[in-house]
Amino acid sequence: MKKVVKFGGSSLADPDHFRKAAEIICADPDRRYVVPSAPGRRFPGDEKVTDMLYQAYEKLEAGEDPGPELEKIKKRYEDIASGLGLDLGLDDEFVLIRRKMEQGAGRDYTASRGEYLNGKVLAAFLGFEFVDAAEVIRFDDDGSFNQEKTNTILSARVEGLDHVVIPGFYGLRDDGMVQTFTRGGSDITGSVVAAAVHADLYENWTDVSGFLVADPGVIDGPEVIDTITYKELRELSYMGASVLHEDAIFPVRREGIPINIRNTNKPEDRGTYIVETTSRRPKYVITGIAGKKGFVSITIEKDMMNSEIGFCRKVLQVFEDNGLSIEHMPSGIDTMTIFVHQTEFVEREQQVISGIHRAVQPDILEIESGLALIAVVGRGMRDTRGIAGSVFSALASRNINIKMIDQGSSELNIIIGVKEKYFEDAITVLYDTFIPDESDGE
Ligand code: ASP
């Protein structure tokens, strides 16, 4: 068996967490490829090393001395190294980092040093070989990740190596510049490594025991999802649920490699398995609930709209011309409604309105802001009757007016639009409806 194990920033924030991570890695010889993030927060209000590195870069850009920031960062690593009984000569590393920054190595290079140094420390502590991500993770010059090139280089580089540490978050472009993924991108590195080495499992170690059925900020102590499919996860992450970087799914998905989200502080917990497909019956009809605020709906009414060929296309063209992506588009016979992100829409609002008037001469054009979308997601919904009915009655029981309901044709999700002020209430009543409290004897 080959396992790739990625440890998030909170799992590698101080010597104690390094020890826990090392214990986990050493407990299973199959955990051969280790991908670390940069040190995260040690306590609420603490700074993440990546954020400190961005600050150092900004100072330099503003013509100020980044020295104090770099000193603070160096101290973080020195504390970790000395806490682990390691002497790594970090002075030289920091002299080089500063020099490279001054020579124009760039923002991404600066940020990448968080993972680079953490990788060095972890490799030394574990006695594993360190493989620089700049050697094996490759981007094209336009900034897009090159999976093919990476697969070739990475698999050749680690061939014959038993245990390696490859820092997360960054790689190299063909022009020699270091480039990072977007924030939280070490998750992507883990997935890329798993795909390249044909791993059997990608373990993603973090500070929660898996993917939760709903946001713990809304629901008190939500249940952990035991098994979720990539598709379900994609729906939930798109709607705001976050544990894993959204793009981390794609590399492993292509190879059918499962991801197991685990808790570094509770390694005995099984965590959540993210899989391509499964015969495991979901515990509940739904797998998860997630939602986002900040949407606007634009409703267009016109008599005989249904018989006007090309009507929808003309309306959609207006949105495309204004660079707006559309979230949902429920329609009636003579009406259509378009949901977009409020922050993007306000910038282009008047252009969109006049564009629609010119394109289709509507009878009525109405805008409603302050809307939230909630996704109820679950592979179990396909085989169960009455889900939409339960959603309606649950929301009605709390006097919540449904602005929109949209069931995807895959029957994997139901999207509900409500006023933002009902957001938390709606999620709570949906959770209570679909995830029966076990203490109630159900
Ligand atoms: N250290 C980077 C960040 O804070 C990447 C990661 O942690 O995955 O975004």
Side-chain angles (χ1 to χ4, degrees):
M1 278 262 261
K2 277 189 222 165
K3 292 182 187 168
V4 170
V5 287
K6 181 258 168 179
F7 286 86
S10 55
S11 299
L12 295 171
D14 53 35
D16 270 352
H17 278 93
F18 261 75
R19 272 188 221 99
K20 282 187 200 175
E23 217 171 284
I24 290 165
I25 296 162
C26 297
D28 182 348
D30 294 335
R31 295 183 172 134
R32 292 176 47 192
Y33 308 92
V34 183
V35 176
S37 280
R41 291 190 189 93
R42 293 160 293 184
F43 43 82
D46 192 18
E47 283 184 293
K48 287 181 171 188
V49 164
T50 308
D51 291 330
M52 293 158 83
L53 284 160
Y54 282 125
Q55 282 159 22
Y57 176 78
E58 267 138 39
K59 276 247 164 120
L60 184 80
E61 280 296 278
E64 293 169 35
D65 176 17
E69 268 67 33
L70 291 174
E71 267 312 307
K72 264 202 307 190
I73 298 165
K74 190 164 111 196
K75 176 87 175 42
R76 287 281 310 255
Y77 286 102
E78 278 169 355
D79 286 351
I80 294 174
S82 67
L84 298 173
L86 299 170
D87 183 11
L88 295 172
L90 290 171
D91 287 344
D92 293 349
E93 292 282 8
F94 275 86
V95 169
L96 183 66
I97 291 170
R98 173 145 194 175
R99 187 174 340 123
K100 286 233 178 198
M101 283 171 70
E102 284 165 354
Q103 288 167 349
R107 187 171 190 268
D108 282 13
Y109 165 81
T110 308
S112 75
R113 295 306 87 184
E115 272 68 15
Y116 169 83
L117 291 168
N118 231 19
K120 284 261 166 178
V121 177
L122 188 59
F125 187 52
L126 292 167
F128 287 10
E129 175 145 349
F130 174 81
V131 173
D132 190 351
E135 244 189 273
V136 292
I137 305 284
R138 302 305 295 265
F139 292 85
D140 292 332
D141 285 348
D142 66 1
S144 50
F145 170 63
N146 190 324
Q147 172 88 52
E148 221 171 295
K149 200 177 224 173
T150 299
N151 275 348
T152 315
I153 298 175
L154 204 158
S155 48
R157 176 68 178 85
V158 301
E159 170 103 50
L161 296 178
D162 257 354
H163 290 91
V164 290
V165 172
I166 305 172
F169 193 37
Y170 70 96
L172 195 71
R173 289 201 319 228
D174 287 340
D175 63 7
M177 295 292 279
V178 165
Q179 159 136 4
T180 63
F181 292 109
T182 51
R183 293 300 304 266
S186 299
D187 284 340
I188 308 175
T189 309
S191 179
V192 163
V193 173
V197 303
H198 304 296
D200 299 284
L201 185 64
Y202 169 25
E203 287 179 347
N204 189 295
W205 291 83
T206 176
D207 54 3
V208 285
S209 288
F211 217 87
L212 301 172
V213 172
D215 179 356
V218 179
I219 303 292
D220 202 16
E223 287 216 22
V224 172
I225 300 172
D226 177 86
T227 307
I228 183 170
T229 63
Y230 293 135
K231 269 196 201 144
E232 290 172 311
L233 180 72
R234 175 110 179 91
E235 299 279 350
L236 288 172
S237 339
Y238 187 71
M239 275 310 219
S242 68
V243 169
L244 193 70
H245 192 296
E246 253 192 273
D247 296 343
I249 296 173
F250 302 110
V252 282
R253 184 176 184 172
R254 249 175 264 136
E255 298 273 325
I257 302 166
I259 307 174
N260 184 199
I261 309 280
R262 299 285 291 266
N263 189 345
T264 307
N265 300 312
K266 287 189 182 169
E268 62 286 357
D269 288 356
R270 180 184 184 272
T272 299
Y273 275 84
I274 307 164
V275 297
E276 170 72 48
T277 176
T278 174
S279 60
R280 258 175 199 270
R281 282 190 68 77
K283 189 165 171 199
Y284 306 106
V285 175
I286 65 154
T287 303
I289 306 169
K292 278 199 248 184
K293 293 181 179 175
F295 291 95
V296 177
S297 69
I298 302 105
T299 300
I300 301 153
E301 270 188 56
K302 189 176 184 189
D303 278 347
M304 307 300 285
M305 173 196 286
N306 68 327
S307 55
E308 196 177 319
I309 290 171
F311 190 95
C312 291
R313 184 188 49 75
K314 287 180 206 159
V315 171
L316 295 181
Q317 188 69 49
V318 176
F319 285 86
E320 186 178 337
D321 293 345
N322 283 283
L324 291 169
S325 85
I326 288 165
E327 289 296 314
H328 285 281
M329 201 182 69
S331 62
I333 299 176
D334 290 331
T335 63
M336 69 187 282
T337 302
I338 290 178
F339 281 76
V340 286
H341 284 279
Q342 191 154 341
T343 43
E344 291 164 20
F345 181 69
V346 283
E347 303 289 319
R348 310 291 304 166
E349 181 184 80
Q350 295 309 316
Q351 287 90 324
V352 173
I353 294 169
S354 55
I356 294 174
H357 273 288
R358 264 194 311 259
V360 294
Q361 298 85 42
D363 296 334
I364 300 171
L365 202 162
E366 258 174 12
I367 293 181
E368 183 167 1
S369 60
L371 297 175
L373 293 176
I374 297 168
V376 177
V377 176
R379 60 190 183 279
M381 298 198 316
R382 195 178 305 167
D383 307 321
T384 317
R385 259 165 273 174
I387 303 292
S390 306
V391 168
F392 278 121
S393 39
L395 296 175
S397 75
R398 295 277 176 105
N399 275 329
I400 299 171
N401 183 24
I402 302 177
K403 292 275 166 191
M404 182 222 42
I405 184 156
D406 188 357
Q407 175 167 13
S409 50
S410 59
E411 292 184 61
L412 190 68
N413 65 355
I414 295 178
I415 311 279
I416 303 131
V418 296
K419 275 264 176 218
E420 274 176 359
K421 63 177 176 186
Y422 297 127
F423 181 74
E424 283 80 9
D425 229 12
I427 291 188
T428 307
V429 71
L430 289 169
Y431 185 89
D432 292 344
T433 302
F434 291 108
I435 313 291
D437 188 348
E438 279 167 0
S439 58
D440 290 350
E442 292 201 57

